């Protein structure tokens, strides 16, 4: 019994005792004390039974309880019930307000949110943006399988991939081909996942404008640069010894500009491609070409070793793969001091794939720089890159080429010891070695 209920309980006890004492007194006066006491006890019990019945009826009615003006134990029980009821109503009202606020928040978001049941892939809830971007209708689509509703988007397949599902960066909306969507899957509990769709139309257009701009500028620069470079090459510094240092510098810089424009055009071409035309890339001649290139660039300043241990060829584009591998080899030579070693190896991976690795004993790269190395124009040291004739685009080209071959680049490096750049190809890109390879 709590301290608040105690007085009501004592009051009821007091009243009952008083009633019985009064009945006994009246009985004594009338000469029949015991029958009077028994009658009074029956009446008191009857009163309690009647109050209990009224209380049970109140509970059963599920109506808002109203406490009577009773200062006894039953009145206290009714007041407690009324308080509980008020508290529950307040809690429900607050929850409802919170739910409304979350709903309004969900509807105010510019991205489409669709809550999906993992196993059945059925839609549990979606916000207003999902109606705008994915044309989901409430209530007709609640409970429908999301993959079916968004056909022909490969959503069912993507949901089936589960936690391994890679975000879809850009895909046309099933209802409006002009609308470009980015899709992400966020598993937020074991059974319930959220699909987030974002309108990336503007972003895609801007990206296209940027790509076109870079491609057009590079293209426009190419012809005048070729002319200037051609004439500069024709000039012989020995004929004008006073101008020799200037002329050599001009030739070097025009060569750099040419290389920059060529690299920008290569990147633009790669970005515009969604896939490569597959052919069997003969790796023996490819490795021989890479060795020749490394030796030509090194001019005998490095030891160059090639190990062909895979005994397999690759499936992809010979031209693009050559461009990627040759960038890695050129970097290895340029960022390794004289006397260093460059190793080019082709091996089979554990998963049945193949790995082409270029290892050097050069300057190495500080760990902090590794994640950003494949960004355009990202250099660990801009002055060293320029001095070595770099454009800052080589690794960006490598990343794009590997992306087109569903391969990945891994970089392992230690400052002062050297670096290994390895290209990992999946098993579906590996083909048994042909007897006679075509030159790369
Ligand atoms: P760059 O034309 O400047 O070489 P890349 O995109 O090929 O541009 O490489 C980006 C940067 O990564 C380089 O500027 C250099 O700092 C670093 N880098 C690339 N390869 C190596 C390597 N083998 N050893 C050391 N640093 C490297």
């Amino acid at each position: 019994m709590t301290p608040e209920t105690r007085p009501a309980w004592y009051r009821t006890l007091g009243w009952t005792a008083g009633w019985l004492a009064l009945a006994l007194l009246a009985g004594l006066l009338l000469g029949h004390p015991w029958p009077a006491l028994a009658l009074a006890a029956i009446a008191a019990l009857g009163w309690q039974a009647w109050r209990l019945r009224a209380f049970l009826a109140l509970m059963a009615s599920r109506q808002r309880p109203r406490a009577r003006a009773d200062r006894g134990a039953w009145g206290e029980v009714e007041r407690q019930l009324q308080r509980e009821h008020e508290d529950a109503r307040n809690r429900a009202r607050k929850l409802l307000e919170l739910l409304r606020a979350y709903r309004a928040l969900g509807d105010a978001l510019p991205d489409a949110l669709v809550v999906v049941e993992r196993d059945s892939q059925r839609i549990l809830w979606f916000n207003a943006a999902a109606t705008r971007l994915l044309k989901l209708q409430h209530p007709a689509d609640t409970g429908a399988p999301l993959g079916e509703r968004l056909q022909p988007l490969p959503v069912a397949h993507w949901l089936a991939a589960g936690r391994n599902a890679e975000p879809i960066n850009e895909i046309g909306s099933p209802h409006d081909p002009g609308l470009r969507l980015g899709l992400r899957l966020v598993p937020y509990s074991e059974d319930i996942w959220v699909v987030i769709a974002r309108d990336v139309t503007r972003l895609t257009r801007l990206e296209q404008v940027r790509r076109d701009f870079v491609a057009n500028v590079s293209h426009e620069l190419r012809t005048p640069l070729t002319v200037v470079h051609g004439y500069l090459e024709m000039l012989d510094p020995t004929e004008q010894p006073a101008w020799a240092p200037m002329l050599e510098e001009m030739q070097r810089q025009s060569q750099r500009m040419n290389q920059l424009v060529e690299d920008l055009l290569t990147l633009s071409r790669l970005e515009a491609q969604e896939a490569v035309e597959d052919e069997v890339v003969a790796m023996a001649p490819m490795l021989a070409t890479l060795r020749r290139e490394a030796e030509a660039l090194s001019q005998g300043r490095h030891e160059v070793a090639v190990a062909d241990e895979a005994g397999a060829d690759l499936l992809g584009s010979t031209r693009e793969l050559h461009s990627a591998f040759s960038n890695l080899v050129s970097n290895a030579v340029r960022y390794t001091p004289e006397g260093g070693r460059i190793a080019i190896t082709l091996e089979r991976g554990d998963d049945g794939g193949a790995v082409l690795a270029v290892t050097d004993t050069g300057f190495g790269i500080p760990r902090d720089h590794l994640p950003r190395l494949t960004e355009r124009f990202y250099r660990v040291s801009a002055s060293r890159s320029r001095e070595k004739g770099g454009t800052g685009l080589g690794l960006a080209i490598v990343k794009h080429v590997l992306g087109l071959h569903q391969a990945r680049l891994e970089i392992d490096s230690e400052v002062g010891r050297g670096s290994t750049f390895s290209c990992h190809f999946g098993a579906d890109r590996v083909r048994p070695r042909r007897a006679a390879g075509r030159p790369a």
Side-chain angles (χ1 to χ4, degrees):
M1 209 186 304
T2 61
E4 310 97 73
T5 54
R6 201 166 291 136
W9 166 248
Y10 286 135
R11 225 173 279 134
T12 301
L13 266 188
W15 288 338
T16 313
W19 165 254
L20 292 179
L22 207 67
L24 189 64
L25 198 67
L28 280 174
L29 287 176
L30 294 171
H32 299 289
W34 298 119
L37 188 64
L39 268 178
I42 289 169
L45 260 178
W47 165 249
Q48 297 299 339
W50 182 79
R51 288 295 272 133
L52 178 63
R53 185 184 160 279
F55 178 72
L56 288 176
L58 184 73
M59 294 273 286
S61 72
R62 295 186 157 268
Q63 283 170 1
R64 188 173 170 201
R66 258 177 224 292
R68 296 162 199 240
D70 176 349
R71 298 179 61 234
W74 282 114
E76 186 56 36
V77 169
E78 284 172 356
R79 271 190 295 282
Q80 294 261 358
L81 191 69
Q82 192 176 357
R83 237 173 280 146
E84 285 281 321
H85 189 82
E86 290 298 327
D87 286 353
R89 266 167 65 100
N90 283 340
R91 272 199 303 273
R93 200 170 36 239
K94 275 195 191 132
L95 268 177
L96 206 67
E97 277 166 17
L98 205 65
L99 208 64
R100 283 207 187 107
Y102 278 125
R103 232 161 226 249
L105 177 75
D107 284 344
L109 286 177
D111 295 346
L113 302 184
V114 186
V115 179
V116 196
E117 202 181 36
R118 187 186 122 185
D119 293 331
S120 63
Q121 303 193 353
R122 286 184 191 282
I123 301 171
L124 296 178
W125 177 84
F126 51 88
N127 66 350
T131 304
R132 192 163 36 80
L133 297 178
L134 302 171
K135 298 283 180 284
L136 294 180
Q137 298 298 339
H138 187 73
D141 289 328
T142 308
L146 183 65
E148 223 168 77
R149 283 295 295 112
L150 297 187
Q151 259 177 1
L153 295 191
V155 171
H157 176 72
W158 181 58
L159 279 173
R163 288 177 192 270
N164 305 325
E166 287 283 321
I168 300 179
N169 290 333
E170 193 211 320
I171 195 162
S173 150
H175 310 283
D176 175 3
L179 182 67
R180 311 297 297 170
L181 298 175
L183 298 178
R184 282 187 61 199
L185 183 66
V186 183
Y188 78 77
S189 82
E190 266 304 300
D191 332 307
I192 296 176
W193 289 356
V194 186
V195 174
I196 304 175
R198 171 168 291 182
D199 180 357
V200 292
T201 316
R202 218 175 102 78
L203 213 69
T204 313
R205 210 172 293 141
L206 280 175
E207 184 71 5
Q208 188 59 43
V209 169
R210 181 193 62 77
R211 262 188 240 151
D212 290 350
F213 175 76
V214 174
N216 289 338
V217 168
S218 316
H219 203 76
E220 292 298 324
L221 282 174
R222 191 191 220 170
T223 317
L225 269 176
T226 313
V227 174
V228 173
H229 187 65
Y231 281 126
L232 279 174
E233 287 287 304
M234 279 163 64
L235 294 176
D236 184 359
T238 53
E239 284 178 11
Q240 295 281 350
W243 290 9
M246 258 187 296
L247 210 56
E248 273 164 18
E249 184 59 19
M250 282 161 78
Q251 281 171 347
R252 209 173 32 249
Q253 293 299 343
S254 87
Q255 171 61 33
R256 257 196 73 205
M257 273 202 276
N258 255 341
Q259 191 55 50
L260 195 63
V261 166
E262 287 306 321
D263 280 359
L264 280 173
L265 281 170
T266 306
L267 257 183
S268 299
R269 186 170 47 74
L270 290 171
E271 277 182 334
Q273 265 174 277
E274 289 204 341
V276 281
E277 269 196 28
D278 287 341
E279 56 183 331
V280 176
V281 182
M283 288 309 287
M286 170 77 83
L287 291 171
T289 307
L290 293 176
R291 176 202 281 275
R292 268 199 310 279
E293 286 174 355
E295 283 168 351
L297 203 63
S298 159
Q299 299 277 320
R301 287 175 295 129
H302 308 91
E303 181 195 337
V304 179
V306 173
D308 182 2
E309 285 157 15
D313 288 332
L314 292 177
L315 194 67
S317 157
T318 307
R319 177 187 174 195
E320 311 299 10
L321 286 178
H322 172 242
S323 140
F325 299 154
S326 132
N327 263 307
L328 294 181
V329 169
S330 136
N331 280 353
V333 174
R334 286 185 297 120
Y335 297 111
T336 301
E338 193 166 348
R341 186 171 191 273
I342 318 288
I344 308 166
T345 53
L346 180 68
E347 289 173 348
R348 292 302 290 266
D350 299 335
D351 54 353
V355 184
L356 185 132
V358 179
T359 305
D360 63 57
T361 55
F363 304 120
I365 304 157
R367 186 172 290 274
D368 301 351
H369 292 273
L370 294 182
R372 299 194 58 193
L373 223 53
T374 54
E375 289 174 22
R376 288 148 217 246
F377 298 113
Y378 189 85
R379 290 141 159 154
V380 177
S381 154
S383 55
R384 182 182 281 168
S385 161
R386 280 199 200 99
E387 178 203 322
K388 303 280 177 189
T391 60
L393 295 170
L395 291 180
I397 292 176
V398 174
K399 186 179 134 188
H400 268 84
V401 170
L402 294 188
L404 286 171
H405 290 81
Q406 297 79 47
R408 63 174 206 284
L409 177 68
E410 273 184 19
I411 310 172
D412 197 12
S413 189
E414 205 179 314
V415 177
R417 284 184 161 255
S419 320
T420 298
F421 288 75
S422 37
C423 312
H424 294 252
F425 294 85
D428 50 346
R429 289 267 163 204
V430 178
R431 289 289 175 273
R433 176 72 51 88
R434 294 190 302 188
R438 246 183 26 197

